[in-house]
Amino acid sequence: MTGLGYSSPWCVNAGFIVGGERTLVVDTGGNAYAGQTILGYATAVRPGNRIVVINTERHFDHIGGNSVFRGQGIEIWGHPRLQRTAEDFRCELAEFNEAIPNAARRAAHEEAAFFHGTELANPARALDDGMEFDLGGGCSPARIVMTPGHTATNLSVWMPDDRALYCGDCLISQYMPNLDAGTPDDWRIWLESLDRVEALRPAIVVAGHGPVVKGQGPVKVMIDAVRQVLTESIARGTSPTAR
């Protein structure tokens, strides 16, 4: 599910990996509507499968649809430190509302329409580096790869048979990576995560934002572009979008 609406110019990617017995949903979008859409497609592809959710990071554009899955009794997994608060969620709504260009619409709190039915739901199960999820049907397990940097909670999901990687915001396709959540120390950790991703030699990458990238050459171009922004930001001491 690429291009789920969030906040201009950003859209967020989510997806699912279907095995013979289990369907692994990777991120749930920014709100309840996104979560319902993802759940609907994931269920339709193989209705009898057990569904499990993995969150790739802590930001609400990746976890906003969690409550839809929680309401269906579906397990949600994430980084052990991924625990957002009710105050965090209130601040997210306020920030979203502030981004609405028209003052009258901001005064009317139209952000409430976007987040209608959306509730905070943190992962209840903690992931470890290298943990595997057996999907059944003879395909290789999905493997968790910790890829911190954008936030300390970032992780990726690797499918070795297909050489396919869901990497959350560790990589960004055709967007400028968001460094504003971290510091130069975090960006150095992020560079190490890029090295780890590159060592996998993925042929398909679903980045946290932007088009899916296919082919080892285009994937390397994307990795190098993010690496360059990080390296320049570390040398400068500020993110490229700092005010």
Side-chain angles (χ1 to χ4, degrees), residues 29-40:
N31 59 15
Y33 294 128
Q36 290 165 359
T37 301
I38 297 162
L39 177 59

Side-chain angles (χ1 to χ4, degrees), residues 25-235:
V25 170
V26 185
D27 287 336
T28 60
N31 59 15
Y33 294 128
Q36 290 165 359
T37 301
I38 297 162
L39 177 59
Y41 278 105
T43 302
V45 170
R46 195 178 289 272
N49 272 14
R50 176 189 175 196
I51 294 178
V52 175
V53 170
I54 291 177
N55 291 149
T56 63
E57 64 139 307
R58 72 191 299 273
H59 287 143
F60 282 102
D61 52 340
H62 297 265
I63 68 172
N66 278 4
S67 60
V68 173
F69 292 85
R70 177 69 48 77
Q72 298 295 317
I74 293 170
E75 284 185 351
I76 303 173
W77 295 71
H79 192 282
R81 293 170 60 184
L82 201 171
Q83 292 296 318
R84 304 307 302 270
T85 67
E87 178 60 24
D88 290 337
F89 187 49
R90 285 191 291 270
C91 289
E92 179 73 9
L93 269 63
E95 182 178 344
F96 191 95
N97 190 55
E98 186 60 30
I100 297 173
N102 184 275
R105 295 185 181 278
R106 290 198 302 274
H109 290 281
E110 290 189 355
E111 87 284 355
F114 183 84
F115 288 102
H116 179 75
T118 305
E119 299 176 358
L120 172 63
N122 285 307
R125 305 291 299 273
L127 293 166
D128 292 321
D129 190 43
M131 181 179 288
E132 294 186 340
F133 287 81
D134 183 4
L135 305 181
C139 64
S140 65
R143 185 186 311 150
I144 302 302
V145 181
M146 292 298 181
T147 49
H150 170 63
T151 74
T153 62
N154 274 75
L155 55 87
S156 299
V157 182
W158 172 236
M159 294 297 298
D161 282 357
D162 298 318
R163 308 208 66 77
L165 184 74
Y166 283 85
C167 64
D169 286 7
C170 183
L171 286 172
I172 301 294
S173 174
Q174 297 186 19
Y175 282 102
M176 182 179 295
N178 179 10
L179 277 63
D180 294 327
T183 68
D185 286 342
D186 298 309
W187 307 336
R188 292 184 184 94
I189 293 171
W190 195 339
L191 285 174
E192 294 173 2
S193 292
L194 292 184
D195 291 342
R196 192 172 193 190
V197 166
E198 191 169 41
L200 294 172
R201 302 183 70 244
I204 303 170
V205 172
V206 183
H209 302 269
V212 174
V213 178
K214 298 180 180 180
Q216 291 185 349
V219 167
K220 179 171 173 48
V221 169
M222 176 174 54
I223 292 172
D224 286 345
V226 175
R227 183 181 281 128
Q228 181 176 348
V229 172
L230 288 166
T231 301
E232 292 173 351
S233 298
I234 290 167

